[in-house]
Amino acid sequence: MSNTENKIKNATADLLLKDGNFGFILYDVAERSKKNRTVIHYYFRSRENLLVKTFKFFLRIF
């Protein structure tokens, strides 16, 4: 897993905790992670896939 993916997942987790599932858009993730939305789509293909992979990533930690 790349550092870019981790930054995007961490930004997504921060936004989920702050705003909830429906409280953010990919623009917010891009802004928080300092990555372009195109890069987010390259790694995750959709917002839903980003959420699923973020949940799985953090569930493995706990």
Side-chain angles (χ1 to χ4, degrees):
M1 188 175 324
S2 74
N3 189 35
T4 299
E5 282 181 272
N6 286 335
K7 285 182 180 181
I8 294 168
K9 288 177 187 177
N10 286 330
T12 302
D14 288 346
L15 289 166
L16 282 170
L17 291 172
K18 181 180 170 246
D19 300 328
N21 185 24
F22 299 105
F24 73 93
I25 57 176
L26 287 181
Y27 176 82
D28 299 329
V29 177
E31 193 173 85
R32 169 109 18 159
S33 66
K34 296 182 172 74
K35 303 295 176 195
N36 191 306
R37 283 183 291 173
T38 306
V39 172
I40 295 171
H41 280 285
Y42 173 79
Y43 282 104
F44 299 101
R45 303 287 183 229
S46 69
R47 181 182 184 272
E48 290 76 23
N49 195 33
L50 171 59
L51 290 172
V52 168
K53 288 188 175 188
T54 300
F55 283 132
K56 286 181 180 180
F57 176 72
F58 284 99
L59 286 175
R60 274 189 259 145
I61 293 173
F62 299 107

